[in-house]
Amino acid sequence: MKLLGIGSRINHNEYGKGVVTNVTSKHYWVTFIENGLETIDLDSEFEVIEAAEDEVDTISFYEVERSLKSILKKWSDVSEVISIADKWKGGKLIIQPGDTNLKSTELPIDKFFHKITMVRDRLRVMEQKINSSNLEEQEKIDLQQYITRSYGSLTSFNVLFKLKSQQFVGQRSK
């Protein structure tokens, strides 16, 4: 049995596709697209997609950590901390009916913002589940377009976000 080097790409029956990020005397450390970092025995059953030989220490720990964080952010349902813009902190949302005989409703804007970010998180989880599902490719594309349009419908609430990078993004023109 010839050892695979760091950077080898494999397809494991249980964990899916991944890249070897470290090799020890007994295990491969593999970062899988859908399952994150796993250690597997050197003699485990898997398909070698692309072997990298004698590539010891060619990937720094920093690069592995950065890649792992990116994968976890993309595929995990753990939500990031989202901050409301400072000007809205402590504010309230007032919903005024057109009929003056009816009472208006007030809602703390922080609570409303939390609901909006929860919708976004749930759309992201749905997106991940669609992408990793066994649906036909065209079905995935169709569902992805619905999600993108949903994000687009929510862009009106971007004014509430402190960081532009955390705002909703709909379909971009090409």
Side-chain angles (χ1 to χ4, degrees):
M1 172 182 80
K2 185 161 177 129
L3 282 179
L4 294 174
I6 293 172
S8 296
R9 296 184 313 134
I10 68 167
N11 188 9
H12 190 275
N13 290 341
E14 182 180 348
Y15 301 118
K17 293 181 180 176
V19 176
V20 175
T21 55
N22 194 10
V23 182
T24 66
S25 61
K26 296 181 182 180
H27 299 100
Y28 289 118
W29 290 30
V30 183
T31 301
F32 291 98
I33 293 171
E34 295 180 15
N35 291 290
L37 184 64
E38 295 286 344
T39 56
I40 60 173
D41 293 336
L42 293 178
D43 60 354
S44 293
E45 290 291 322
F46 54 82
E47 172 192 357
V48 177
I49 298 172
E50 182 181 342
E53 298 172 4
D54 302 318
E55 295 291 329
V56 179
D57 294 325
T58 58
I59 298 176
S60 71
F61 179 75
Y62 170 77
E63 290 169 322
V64 172
E65 184 179 32
R66 187 180 61 185
S67 296
L68 183 58
K69 283 180 182 178
S70 174
I71 290 167
L72 289 173
K73 184 177 179 182
K74 182 175 182 180
W75 295 101
S76 172
D77 62 353
V78 175
S79 59
E80 62 185 316
V81 175
I82 309 293
S83 298
I84 192 168
D86 292 337
K87 67 181 177 181
W88 302 112
K89 287 182 180 172
K92 57 186 169 185
L93 179 67
I94 301 170
I95 303 171
Q96 186 74 44
D99 184 345
T100 55
N101 295 323
L102 299 174
K103 185 179 172 187
S104 64
T105 301
E106 291 184 10
L107 178 71
I109 204 158
D110 297 82
K111 191 173 187 176
F112 177 74
F113 180 70
H114 176 72
K115 301 276 186 193
I116 294 295
T117 57
M118 291 303 296
V119 168
R120 187 183 69 170
D121 288 346
R122 289 181 179 131
L123 281 171
R124 286 182 175 172
V125 170
M126 185 186 316
E127 197 170 17
Q128 293 164 6
K129 290 188 180 290
I130 288 168
N131 289 336
S132 64
S133 74
N134 294 328
L135 292 171
E136 295 292 324
E137 204 57 38
Q138 188 57 49
E139 292 175 304
K140 288 182 182 182
I141 291 168
D142 292 344
L143 290 171
Q144 185 66 41
Q145 287 176 345
Y146 282 112
I147 291 173
T148 300
R149 282 181 273 203
S150 296
Y151 283 137
S153 298
L154 295 167
T155 58
S156 299
F157 300 112
N158 282 346
V159 68
L160 298 172
F161 289 84
K162 184 172 189 170
L163 301 176
K164 187 170 179 65
S165 63
Q166 296 176 330
Q167 294 179 347
F168 291 104
V169 178
Q171 187 142 8
R172 291 191 168 110
S173 57
K174 296 185 175 153

